[in-house]
Structure formats: C-alpha cells, structure tokens
Amino acid sequence: MILLPTSPDANHLISANGAPSGPRLRILCLFGTRPETIKFAPVIHALEKAGHESVNVTSAQHRDLLYPLVKLFNLRLDHDLGVMKPGQSLNHVLSRVVEALDPLLVSLAPDAILVQGDTTTALAGALAGWNRRIPVGHIEAGLRSGDAHSPYPEEMNRRVISQMATWHFAATERNRRTLLDEGVSAAAVHVTGNPVIDALHWTLKNLEPSPEAGKLLGELAGERFILLTTHRRESFGQVMRSNLEVLRDFIHAHRNVSLVFPVHPNPEVKAVATSVFQNSPRVRLIDPLPYQDFLHLASRAHLLVSDSGGVQEEAPSLRRPLIVLRENTERPEAVDCGAARLIGNDPEALRASLENAWLSDSWHQQLSTLSNPYGDGRSAERIASILAVPLAV
Ligand code: UD1
Ligand code: UDP
C-alpha cells in the first residue's frame, strides 16, 4: 500500500490538542480563466485555513477577465505563466501551459496538483501532473453532456481529465454516479458540491456592488431587463447570430424591456454582438462585469439568458429564470429543479421561451423557495479536508 501524498519536506498539521492531525501538503492550484478563478478562490482560502501550503499558479489563459478576480478574492499569485495572446488557438494554450508548468512541477515537487472543470488550462495541468506522476485532484468532476463535440472542446477535456485524476470532487450525486458508471473507483469520488456556490455566498455577503452597477440599475428603473451572456465556441457563427437576432427582435417588439449584455472579450463574440445590435434601442452592450456586479444585476433581472456553465449553477441561488442557449447541457440539475430551460440551437424555441416568460410570472413564482442542487456553500472546506486524508493506492 502506498500512502499519498508525501513530499520530502512535508510537515504535519497540529490539531488543537497538539497532536498531529495530518500531513501539511504542498498543493499546486492551477487556474487560467474567469470561471476557474471564481471557483478556485474558496478552495485556495480553505486549503490555507486548513494549514496546507497552496502554490497558486495561473496560466493567464485569460488576462482581462482574470486579474480583477485575483484582486477581488484577495488571491496571492505565486507564478504567472503568461499564456494569453489575442485569438489564441486551443493548441497554443495547451502546449504553452504544459511547457511552462513542467519546470515548476520539478522544482516545487508538489504533493498534488488541483485543476478545475474543463478548460484547456485544466487539461494541460492534469496532463503535466500525470506525466510527472504528481497526483491530480479534479474539482467539478463527472459532468457529461453525452456529446463529445458539445460543448467543444470542454466535453472531451473533462472526459480526459477524469482518466488522469486521483481525486474526483463531484458537485452532485448525479456526477458521482456518472464517474462510477465509467469505472472510476468509488473511493476516489467525493460529492462536495461546487465551490462556485461558496464564492457566490461569500460575494453576496461581503461585497457591495460598484457605483457603476448602481448607476446602470438606476437607468433601468421601471423597466424589466434581460441579462445575457454568450461565449461558447460551438455556437460561433450562425447559431450565435440567430440567437442574438431573436433577442434583438424581442426587445424591439416589447416596450419596457431592455437587454443588458456584458460582452465576452473573445473577438468572435464582440464582432457578432456589435453587428447584430448596432442602432438597437434599449440594448446595452457593456464590458464584462465585476463578479459582485454580475450577481447583483442577475438577481434583479427579469430573465437570464446564457450559454455559460457557471450561470447555470448560480441561477438556482439567484432564483431567477434562466434560458440556456445550448443544444444540450452537462448541468441537467438546473433544468430538473426548474431554474433553467434548455432551448437547443433553435431560434423559434428561444422566441417562444422569451414570450412565455414575458407573458406569465409563473416561472418566477416557482423559483421563490428553490434550494441549489450544486451546493450549500461549504464545498471548499470539504475538498481541503478530503485532501488531507492519506490515500491508499
Ligand atoms: C475559455 C474556456 C471555456 C470557458 C471560458 C470562460 C477553453 C477551451 N475554453 O473560453 O471553457 O467557458 O474560457 O470564459 O479553455 N480574451 C481576451 N481577454 C481575456 C480573455 C479572453 O482578450 O481576458 C480573448 C482573446 O482574444 C482570446 C479569446 O478571448 O484569444 C478566447 O479566449 P480562450 O481562453 O481561448 O477561450 P474562451 O472562449 O474564453
Ligand atoms: N460572470 C461575471 N461577469 C460577467 C459575466 C459572468 O463575473 O460579466 C461570472 C458568472 O457569474 C459566472 C462566471 O462568470 O460565475 C461564468 O464564466 P463564463 O461564462 O465565462 O464561463 P463558463 O462558466 O461558461 O465556463
């Protein structure tokens, strides 16, 4: 039996009565994009609170979307791999992260590397760890859409990461079952919830919205508004354009409704957004919102429309109805609990769903007592305590 993890310089944590309570681990936390930073922040704080050494590494796959979050969540960045370049390819990100991370894995010799979700950064981190025989912990494990091509490339990334992970931190029981059905050992799967809910609770409790968000809400006073986000690669081209055209026509056809669209900095998204919405009254194309502002606006929107993964997880806590702009979802819990409706890549279904949510408030009323299937706000502390337990492999 091999006990993992142990590093050459691992100390032991001392419990309140002075007895050793487990190894003090050096854990490399790798994150690169907006959602990874939001979801990693509570985990990094929980690891430090539990007495572990968290080495915080960003690939900087995102730059504009990432650094404000590092500041917001008061994260220390120990290493920045500086990967982002405009219009980067998936292979650029993958190869650059593996190449830049490898010497750090050698010099730091972490006991474990943690990755989150399904981004190219997460795939690169898991692969680099696997090649160096460093155990990998996967946060948000077990999500599957069932279609290898959608979301692209995330569905394949998460399937491949599952092959390499030592710890699988599943958000829900359904995610756990998926992993077991794929042959992952039950001892390696832990249902912890998703730390995005920890981040959401912390932010709503501790942070005030910015004056700019207050001003925007003031300007919208008296109007219902729809909050839109869209950025998925598999929707680029006609799918995204058709969805935006339906939203534009809906806003034109209804008085007293506005659209607020924080536009993702991906040039593909910006181009279609400015082309479809030029000269559209009551449509506000704005920069991506700081996290606390996004939550503030989202909890006051009449309707959320999004293809985002994180927004599907947050909507049940915000208790706002969400129309999901996707062909399928790896987060069916949001649909099952009533918070989300999946419209597929079908402009007519989007049109019908918008009209339906506009004409009746019954969907809103159903959400007033909802509890969130993705977590209770204590996922990060569970992850930190599971990592402290020596693993028999
Ligand atoms: C990535 C993730 C996706 C996640 C999304 C979150 C992959 C394969 N995709 O997609 O799973 O949902 O992040 O937003 O990892 N850009 C900037 N500034 C930024 C960020 C992006 O200018 O701060 C622009 C750049 O031109 C960049 C492009 O957006 O080339 C695309 O960024 P990239 O990280 O490659 O993919 P996303 O579409 O953001
Ligand atoms: N978000 C934000 N500002 C915005 C739009 C979204 O802070 O203007 C947050 C949102 O609350 C969620 C996360 O970004 O937590 C989702 O990120 P994104 O949609 O980029 O990625 P995905 O979740 O689809 O991978």
Side-chain angles (χ1 to χ4, degrees), residues 301-340:
H302 182 67
L303 195 59
L304 307 174
V305 179
S306 181
D307 58 14
S308 161
V311 174
Q312 290 175 68
E313 290 152 353
E314 291 162 342
S317 286
L318 300 169
R319 297 183 174 162
R320 307 316 292 161
L322 168 65
I323 294 177
V324 180
L325 300 176
R326 289 201 193 188
E327 190 62 19
N328 55 41
T329 181
E330 66 283 33
R331 294 169 169 91
E333 297 89 346
V335 176
D336 294 346
C337 78

mmCIF file of all heavy atoms in Angstrom, residues 301-340:
data_model
loop_
_atom_site.group_PDB
_atom_site.id
_atom_site.type_symbol
_atom_site.label_atom_id
_atom_site.label_comp_id
_atom_site.label_asym_id
_atom_site.label_seq_id
_atom_site.Cartn_x
_atom_site.Cartn_y
_atom_site.Cartn_z
ATOM 1 N N ALA A 301 -32.565 40.767 -12.472
ATOM 2 C CA ALA A 301 -33.033 40.666 -13.865
ATOM 3 C C ALA A 301 -34.389 39.963 -13.911
ATOM 4 O O ALA A 301 -34.685 39.099 -13.083
ATOM 5 C CB ALA A 301 -32.014 39.883 -14.679
ATOM 6 N N HIS A 302 -35.177 40.330 -14.902
ATOM 7 C CA HIS A 302 -36.433 39.603 -15.097
ATOM 8 C C HIS A 302 -36.122 38.196 -15.583
ATOM 9 O O HIS A 302 -36.784 37.224 -15.204
ATOM 10 C CB HIS A 302 -37.288 40.346 -16.128
ATOM 11 C CG HIS A 302 -38.612 39.699 -16.349
ATOM 12 N ND1 HIS A 302 -39.594 39.660 -15.377
ATOM 13 C CD2 HIS A 302 -39.108 39.038 -17.420
ATOM 14 C CE1 HIS A 302 -40.649 39.011 -15.843
ATOM 15 N NE2 HIS A 302 -40.378 38.620 -17.063
ATOM 16 N N LEU A 303 -35.079 38.112 -16.390
ATOM 17 C CA LEU A 303 -34.756 36.840 -17.029
ATOM 18 C C LEU A 303 -33.258 36.803 -17.299
ATOM 19 O O LEU A 303 -32.665 37.825 -17.644
ATOM 20 C CB LEU A 303 -35.506 36.829 -18.365
ATOM 21 C CG LEU A 303 -35.674 35.548 -19.142
ATOM 22 C CD1 LEU A 303 -36.417 34.513 -18.308
ATOM 23 C CD2 LEU A 303 -36.474 35.841 -20.416
ATOM 24 N N LEU A 304 -32.673 35.621 -17.154
ATOM 25 C CA LEU A 304 -31.284 35.410 -17.556
ATOM 26 C C LEU A 304 -31.291 34.585 -18.842
ATOM 27 O O LEU A 304 -32.083 33.639 -18.962
ATOM 28 C CB LEU A 304 -30.522 34.643 -16.476
ATOM 29 C CG LEU A 304 -30.579 35.210 -15.052
ATOM 30 C CD1 LEU A 304 -29.906 34.259 -14.063
ATOM 31 C CD2 LEU A 304 -29.931 36.581 -15.005
ATOM 32 N N VAL A 305 -30.438 34.946 -19.770
ATOM 33 C CA VAL A 305 -30.275 34.157 -20.995
ATOM 34 C C VAL A 305 -28.779 33.930 -21.154
ATOM 35 O O VAL A 305 -28.011 34.899 -21.172
ATOM 36 C CB VAL A 305 -30.845 34.897 -22.226
ATOM 37 C CG1 VAL A 305 -30.637 34.062 -23.487
ATOM 38 C CG2 VAL A 305 -32.322 35.227 -22.032
ATOM 39 N N SER A 306 -28.359 32.671 -21.251
ATOM 40 C CA SER A 306 -26.911 32.432 -21.197
ATOM 41 C C SER A 306 -26.551 31.049 -21.732
ATOM 42 O O SER A 306 -27.366 30.118 -21.676
ATOM 43 C CB SER A 306 -26.445 32.545 -19.737
ATOM 44 O OG SER A 306 -25.060 32.350 -19.648
ATOM 45 N N ASP A 307 -25.330 30.940 -22.243
ATOM 46 C CA ASP A 307 -24.783 29.610 -22.548
ATOM 47 C C ASP A 307 -23.675 29.239 -21.554
ATOM 48 O O ASP A 307 -22.953 28.269 -21.754
ATOM 49 C CB ASP A 307 -24.270 29.536 -23.990
ATOM 50 C CG ASP A 307 -23.195 30.555 -24.307
ATOM 51 O OD1 ASP A 307 -22.631 31.168 -23.376
ATOM 52 O OD2 ASP A 307 -22.897 30.743 -25.513
ATOM 53 N N SER A 308 -23.535 30.018 -20.498
ATOM 54 C CA SER A 308 -22.459 29.814 -19.530
ATOM 55 C C SER A 308 -22.733 28.606 -18.629
ATOM 56 O O SER A 308 -23.873 28.351 -18.233
ATOM 57 C CB SER A 308 -22.354 31.076 -18.669
ATOM 58 O OG SER A 308 -21.671 30.809 -17.472
ATOM 59 N N GLY A 309 -21.664 27.913 -18.281
ATOM 60 C CA GLY A 309 -21.792 26.834 -17.315
ATOM 61 C C GLY A 309 -22.042 27.373 -15.924
ATOM 62 O O GLY A 309 -22.965 26.953 -15.221
ATOM 63 N N GLY A 310 -21.204 28.341 -15.508
ATOM 64 C CA GLY A 310 -21.314 28.888 -14.157
ATOM 65 C C GLY A 310 -22.671 29.523 -13.890
ATOM 66 O O GLY A 310 -23.223 29.392 -12.791
ATOM 67 N N VAL A 311 -23.217 30.183 -14.900
ATOM 68 C CA VAL A 311 -24.508 30.852 -14.688
ATOM 69 C C VAL A 311 -25.613 29.808 -14.451
ATOM 70 O O VAL A 311 -26.538 30.045 -13.656
ATOM 71 C CB VAL A 311 -24.830 31.816 -15.855
ATOM 72 C CG1 VAL A 311 -26.221 32.400 -15.710
ATOM 73 C CG2 VAL A 311 -23.781 32.940 -15.922
ATOM 74 N N GLN A 312 -25.494 28.642 -15.082
ATOM 75 C CA GLN A 312 -26.476 27.583 -14.810
ATOM 76 C C GLN A 312 -26.407 27.135 -13.346
ATOM 77 O O GLN A 312 -27.412 26.779 -12.736
ATOM 78 C CB GLN A 312 -26.228 26.379 -15.710
ATOM 79 C CG GLN A 312 -26.556 26.643 -17.174
ATOM 80 C CD GLN A 312 -26.186 25.456 -18.051
ATOM 81 O OE1 GLN A 312 -26.784 24.399 -17.964
ATOM 82 N NE2 GLN A 312 -25.174 25.638 -18.877
ATOM 83 N N GLU A 313 -25.199 27.156 -12.789
ATOM 84 C CA GLU A 313 -25.048 26.747 -11.386
ATOM 85 C C GLU A 313 -25.529 27.836 -10.435
ATOM 86 O O GLU A 313 -26.035 27.537 -9.338
ATOM 87 C CB GLU A 313 -23.580 26.416 -11.117
ATOM 88 C CG GLU A 313 -23.128 25.149 -11.809
ATOM 89 C CD GLU A 313 -21.638 25.122 -12.154
ATOM 90 O OE1 GLU A 313 -20.949 26.150 -11.979
ATOM 91 O OE2 GLU A 313 -21.181 24.079 -12.629
ATOM 92 N N GLU A 314 -25.374 29.074 -10.827
ATOM 93 C CA GLU A 314 -25.742 30.190 -9.952
ATOM 94 C C GLU A 314 -27.234 30.498 -9.977
ATOM 95 O O GLU A 314 -27.791 30.977 -8.972
ATOM 96 C CB GLU A 314 -24.956 31.443 -10.367
ATOM 97 C CG GLU A 314 -23.473 31.321 -10.062
ATOM 98 C CD GLU A 314 -22.609 32.318 -10.826
ATOM 99 O OE1 GLU A 314 -23.085 32.888 -11.832
ATOM 100 O OE2 GLU A 314 -21.457 32.521 -10.436
ATOM 101 N N ALA A 315 -27.882 30.258 -11.120
ATOM 102 C CA ALA A 315 -29.286 30.686 -11.274
ATOM 103 C C ALA A 315 -30.205 30.174 -10.156
ATOM 104 O O ALA A 315 -31.041 30.942 -9.653
ATOM 105 C CB ALA A 315 -29.810 30.276 -12.645
ATOM 106 N N PRO A 316 -30.074 28.908 -9.716
ATOM 107 C CA PRO A 316 -30.976 28.469 -8.642
ATOM 108 C C PRO A 316 -30.802 29.273 -7.356
ATOM 109 O O PRO A 316 -31.780 29.512 -6.636
ATOM 110 C CB PRO A 316 -30.585 26.998 -8.424
ATOM 111 C CG PRO A 316 -29.927 26.573 -9.687
ATOM 112 C CD PRO A 316 -29.243 27.788 -10.228
ATOM 113 N N SER A 317 -29.568 29.706 -7.044
ATOM 114 C CA SER A 317 -29.368 30.524 -5.842
ATOM 115 C C SER A 317 -29.925 31.922 -6.037
ATOM 116 O O SER A 317 -30.420 32.541 -5.090
ATOM 117 C CB SER A 317 -27.875 30.648 -5.516
ATOM 118 O OG SER A 317 -27.391 29.448 -4.992
ATOM 119 N N LEU A 318 -29.822 32.432 -7.246
ATOM 120 C CA LEU A 318 -30.309 33.788 -7.525
ATOM 121 C C LEU A 318 -31.831 33.794 -7.681
ATOM 122 O O LEU A 318 -32.469 34.845 -7.651
ATOM 123 C CB LEU A 318 -29.647 34.329 -8.801
ATOM 124 C CG LEU A 318 -28.114 34.410 -8.738
ATOM 125 C CD1 LEU A 318 -27.530 34.688 -10.107
ATOM 126 C CD2 LEU A 318 -27.679 35.479 -7.729
ATOM 127 N N ARG A 319 -32.378 32.595 -7.909
ATOM 128 C CA ARG A 319 -33.828 32.416 -8.067
ATOM 129 C C ARG A 319 -34.385 33.250 -9.210
ATOM 130 O O ARG A 319 -35.470 33.834 -9.096
ATOM 131 C CB ARG A 319 -34.549 32.679 -6.746
ATOM 132 C CG ARG A 319 -34.106 31.653 -5.698
ATOM 133 C CD ARG A 319 -34.801 31.789 -4.403
ATOM 134 N NE ARG A 319 -34.419 30.692 -3.522
ATOM 135 C CZ ARG A 319 -34.575 30.697 -2.218
ATOM 136 N NH1 ARG A 319 -35.130 31.740 -1.619
ATOM 137 N NH2 ARG A 319 -34.203 29.664 -1.500
ATOM 138 N N ARG A 320 -33.606 33.317 -10.281
ATOM 139 C CA ARG A 320 -34.075 33.973 -11.490
ATOM 140 C C ARG A 320 -34.165 32.920 -12.588
ATOM 141 O O ARG A 320 -33.297 32.023 -12.684
ATOM 142 C CB ARG A 320 -33.127 35.085 -11.960
ATOM 143 C CG ARG A 320 -32.782 36.131 -10.929
ATOM 144 C CD ARG A 320 -33.942 36.613 -10.133
ATOM 145 N NE ARG A 320 -34.922 37.387 -10.882
ATOM 146 C CZ ARG A 320 -36.178 37.597 -10.467
ATOM 147 N NH1 ARG A 320 -36.625 37.046 -9.359
ATOM 148 N NH2 ARG A 320 -36.988 38.345 -11.170
ATOM 149 N N PRO A 321 -35.192 33.016 -13.443
ATOM 150 C CA PRO A 321 -35.322 32.040 -14.525
ATOM 151 C C PRO A 321 -34.207 32.200 -15.559
ATOM 152 O O PRO A 321 -33.828 33.317 -15.884
ATOM 153 C CB PRO A 321 -36.673 32.400 -15.167
ATOM 154 C CG PRO A 321 -37.291 33.457 -14.361
ATOM 155 C CD PRO A 321 -36.269 34.019 -13.424
ATOM 156 N N LEU A 322 -33.733 31.086 -16.061
ATOM 157 C CA LEU A 322 -32.603 31.087 -16.996
ATOM 158 C C LEU A 322 -32.962 30.306 -18.258
ATOM 159 O O LEU A 322 -33.327 29.130 -18.190
ATOM 160 C CB LEU A 322 -31.387 30.429 -16.323
ATOM 161 C CG LEU A 322 -30.206 30.078 -17.223
ATOM 162 C CD1 LEU A 322 -29.549 31.332 -17.808
ATOM 163 C CD2 LEU A 322 -29.167 29.252 -16.458
ATOM 164 N N ILE A 323 -32.835 30.974 -19.396
ATOM 165 C CA ILE A 323 -32.948 30.284 -20.687
ATOM 166 C C ILE A 323 -31.530 29.919 -21.123
ATOM 167 O O ILE A 323 -30.657 30.789 -21.217
ATOM 168 C CB ILE A 323 -33.630 31.178 -21.741
ATOM 169 C CG1 ILE A 323 -35.088 31.432 -21.347
ATOM 170 C CG2 ILE A 323 -33.557 30.525 -23.117
ATOM 171 C CD1 ILE A 323 -35.838 32.370 -22.292
ATOM 172 N N VAL A 324 -31.309 28.627 -21.362
ATOM 173 C CA VAL A 324 -29.962 28.144 -21.685
ATOM 174 C C VAL A 324 -29.810 28.026 -23.203
ATOM 175 O O VAL A 324 -30.527 27.260 -23.857
ATOM 176 C CB VAL A 324 -29.691 26.779 -21.005
ATOM 177 C CG1 VAL A 324 -28.287 26.286 -21.349
ATOM 178 C CG2 VAL A 324 -29.853 26.887 -19.498
ATOM 179 N N LEU A 325 -28.858 28.786 -23.736
ATOM 180 C CA LEU A 325 -28.617 28.807 -25.185
ATOM 181 C C LEU A 325 -27.649 27.687 -25.552
ATOM 182 O O LEU A 325 -26.497 27.938 -25.882
ATOM 183 C CB LEU A 325 -28.000 30.149 -25.592
ATOM 184 C CG LEU A 325 -28.803 31.411 -25.300
ATOM 185 C CD1 LEU A 325 -27.991 32.648 -25.683
ATOM 186 C CD2 LEU A 325 -30.122 31.387 -26.064
ATOM 187 N N ARG A 326 -28.129 26.470 -25.450
ATOM 188 C CA ARG A 326 -27.261 25.345 -25.796
ATOM 189 C C ARG A 326 -28.098 24.221 -26.379
ATOM 190 O O ARG A 326 -29.286 24.105 -26.084
ATOM 191 C CB ARG A 326 -26.567 24.787 -24.549
ATOM 192 C CG ARG A 326 -25.508 25.655 -23.955
ATOM 193 C CD ARG A 326 -24.636 24.777 -23.118
ATOM 194 N NE ARG A 326 -23.753 25.519 -22.244
ATOM 195 C CZ ARG A 326 -22.799 24.945 -21.541
ATOM 196 N NH1 ARG A 326 -22.650 23.644 -21.584
ATOM 197 N NH2 ARG A 326 -22.012 25.665 -20.773
ATOM 198 N N GLU A 327 -27.415 23.367 -27.140
ATOM 199 C CA GLU A 327 -28.050 22.182 -27.709
ATOM 200 C C GLU A 327 -28.306 21.142 -26.614
ATOM 201 O O GLU A 327 -29.282 20.426 -26.625
ATOM 202 C CB GLU A 327 -27.105 21.608 -28.786
ATOM 203 C CG GLU A 327 -27.682 20.519 -29.649
ATOM 204 C CD GLU A 327 -28.872 20.966 -30.482
ATOM 205 O OE1 GLU A 327 -29.039 22.171 -30.681
ATOM 206 O OE2 GLU A 327 -29.640 20.090 -30.895
ATOM 207 N N ASN A 328 -27.380 21.062 -25.660
ATOM 208 C CA ASN A 328 -27.503 20.099 -24.559
ATOM 209 C C ASN A 328 -26.869 20.737 -23.332
ATOM 210 O O ASN A 328 -26.240 21.783 -23.430
ATOM 211 C CB ASN A 328 -26.774 18.793 -24.901
ATOM 212 C CG ASN A 328 -25.321 19.041 -25.273
ATOM 213 O OD1 ASN A 328 -24.643 19.857 -24.645
ATOM 214 N ND2 ASN A 328 -24.827 18.353 -26.273
ATOM 215 N N THR A 329 -27.051 20.098 -22.202
ATOM 216 C CA THR A 329 -26.358 20.616 -21.016
ATOM 217 C C THR A 329 -25.812 19.477 -20.178
ATOM 218 O O THR A 329 -26.448 18.435 -20.022
ATOM 219 C CB THR A 329 -27.239 21.527 -20.150
ATOM 220 O OG1 THR A 329 -26.446 21.993 -19.041
ATOM 221 C CG2 THR A 329 -28.484 20.819 -19.627
ATOM 222 N N GLU A 330 -24.617 19.708 -19.664
ATOM 223 C CA GLU A 330 -23.994 18.780 -18.713
ATOM 224 C C GLU A 330 -24.392 19.138 -17.296
ATOM 225 O O GLU A 330 -23.894 18.546 -16.340
ATOM 226 C CB GLU A 330 -22.466 18.809 -18.882
ATOM 227 C CG GLU A 330 -21.797 20.126 -18.521
ATOM 228 C CD GLU A 330 -21.952 21.210 -19.590
ATOM 229 O OE1 GLU A 330 -22.996 21.249 -20.281
ATOM 230 O OE2 GLU A 330 -21.053 22.045 -19.723
ATOM 231 N N ARG A 331 -25.321 20.093 -17.168
ATOM 232 C CA ARG A 331 -25.795 20.516 -15.849
ATOM 233 C C ARG A 331 -27.318 20.385 -15.786
ATOM 234 O O ARG A 331 -28.033 21.377 -15.571
ATOM 235 C CB ARG A 331 -25.351 21.965 -15.570
ATOM 236 C CG ARG A 331 -23.830 22.096 -15.444
ATOM 237 C CD ARG A 331 -23.400 23.540 -15.449
ATOM 238 N NE ARG A 331 -22.016 23.718 -15.071
ATOM 239 C CZ ARG A 331 -20.983 23.733 -15.937
ATOM 240 N NH1 ARG A 331 -21.195 23.557 -17.234
ATOM 241 N NH2 ARG A 331 -19.749 23.914 -15.506
ATOM 242 N N PRO A 332 -27.826 19.153 -15.983
ATOM 243 C CA PRO A 332 -29.286 18.977 -16.047
ATOM 244 C C PRO A 332 -29.973 19.269 -14.720
ATOM 245 O O PRO A 332 -31.198 19.482 -14.691
ATOM 246 C CB PRO A 332 -29.450 17.506 -16.447
ATOM 247 C CG PRO A 332 -28.174 16.856 -16.045
ATOM 248 C CD PRO A 332 -27.103 17.889 -16.151
ATOM 249 N N GLU A 333 -29.222 19.303 -13.627
ATOM 250 C CA GLU A 333 -29.844 19.587 -12.321
ATOM 251 C C GLU A 333 -30.541 20.942 -12.338
ATOM 252 O O GLU A 333 -31.572 21.133 -11.680
ATOM 253 C CB GLU A 333 -28.787 19.570 -11.208
ATOM 254 C CG GLU A 333 -28.081 18.236 -10.985
ATOM 255 C CD GLU A 333 -26.833 18.062 -11.854
ATOM 256 O OE1 GLU A 333 -26.667 18.848 -12.818
ATOM 257 O OE2 GLU A 333 -26.053 17.131 -11.580
ATOM 258 N N ALA A 334 -29.963 21.901 -13.090
ATOM 259 C CA ALA A 334 -30.571 23.243 -13.138
ATOM 260 C C ALA A 334 -31.919 23.187 -13.846
ATOM 261 O O ALA A 334 -32.858 23.910 -13.478
ATOM 262 C CB ALA A 334 -29.633 24.223 -13.847
ATOM 263 N N VAL A 335 -32.011 22.320 -14.847
ATOM 264 C CA VAL A 335 -33.281 22.164 -15.565
ATOM 265 C C VAL A 335 -34.261 21.401 -14.673
ATOM 266 O O VAL A 335 -35.421 21.803 -14.508
ATOM 267 C CB VAL A 335 -33.045 21.403 -16.898
ATOM 268 C CG1 VAL A 335 -34.371 21.137 -17.602
ATOM 269 C CG2 VAL A 335 -32.101 22.203 -17.795
ATOM 270 N N ASP A 336 -33.785 20.323 -14.075
ATOM 271 C CA ASP A 336 -34.664 19.481 -13.249
ATOM 272 C C ASP A 336 -35.257 20.256 -12.070
ATOM 273 O O ASP A 336 -36.391 20.004 -11.663
ATOM 274 C CB ASP A 336 -33.899 18.257 -12.716
ATOM 275 C CG ASP A 336 -33.486 17.319 -13.839
ATOM 276 O OD1 ASP A 336 -34.015 17.477 -14.955
ATOM 277 O OD2 ASP A 336 -32.617 16.457 -13.607
ATOM 278 N N CYS A 337 -34.499 21.183 -11.498
ATOM 279 C CA CYS A 337 -35.026 21.904 -10.333
ATOM 280 C C CYS A 337 -35.934 23.068 -10.759
ATOM 281 O O CYS A 337 -36.516 23.745 -9.921
ATOM 282 C CB CYS A 337 -33.901 22.386 -9.407
ATOM 283 S SG CYS A 337 -33.044 23.869 -9.980
ATOM 284 N N GLY A 338 -36.011 23.303 -12.069
ATOM 285 C CA GLY A 338 -36.961 24.311 -12.563
ATOM 286 C C GLY A 338 -36.338 25.667 -12.849
ATOM 287 O O GLY A 338 -36.999 26.550 -13.394
ATOM 288 N N ALA A 339 -35.051 25.845 -12.502
ATOM 289 C CA ALA A 339 -34.445 27.169 -12.695
ATOM 290 C C ALA A 339 -34.134 27.448 -14.155
ATOM 291 O O ALA A 339 -34.154 28.605 -14.585
ATOM 292 C CB ALA A 339 -33.169 27.277 -11.867
ATOM 293 N N ALA A 340 -33.825 26.393 -14.926
ATOM 294 C CA ALA A 340 -33.350 26.608 -16.295
ATOM 295 C C ALA A 340 -34.225 25.884 -17.313
ATOM 296 O O ALA A 340 -34.820 24.840 -17.005
ATOM 297 C CB ALA A 340 -31.906 26.124 -16.411
#
